[in-house]
Amino acid sequence: HLPMGLDAFAMRLLTQLDGTHSRDELAAILVNDIVHGRLQLDPVPADRTALAAVVTENCQRLLATFARHGLLQPVDEISRLGK
């Protein structure tokens, strides 16, 4: 096993992956964190629509990376395990 070297954005996304949020909800959580200064993004897009697009794209990329590295379980498997 090797460390992944996750930045604050990736760590925040990872902490929200409990199976209760849709992809859109995950992106909204991160946009809200950026807007309220709890999470940094450099550079920050000029308007909220552009910010949401950048955040959504980053979330999609990171979810694919997490899946490739075995950090995600299918929801049906989690349900089967009683979690």
Side-chain angles (χ1 to χ4, degrees):
H1 298 285
L2 297 173
M4 290 184 64
L6 302 176
D7 63 10
F9 186 96
M11 287 296 295
R12 178 65 172 138
L13 176 60
L14 192 59
T15 65
Q16 297 302 307
L17 298 179
D18 61 2
T20 64
H21 303 291
S22 69
R23 290 174 186 237
D24 289 341
E25 290 169 335
L26 292 167
I29 289 167
L30 293 168
V31 166
N32 190 47
D33 284 350
I34 292 165
V35 167
H36 290 95
R38 293 184 294 266
L39 187 62
Q40 301 297 315
L41 184 67
D42 188 36
V44 176
D47 62 67
R48 195 167 179 126
T49 301
L51 174 60
V54 168
V55 168
T56 298
E57 182 179 316
N58 283 335
C59 286
Q60 297 292 357
R61 179 182 51 80
L62 286 167
L63 289 170
T65 299
F66 295 160
R68 211 172 33 256
H69 288 277
L71 297 177
L72 304 178
Q73 277 186 302
V75 173
D76 60 332
E77 187 176 332
I78 293 170
S79 297
R80 185 179 54 80
L81 295 173
K83 294 185 178 184

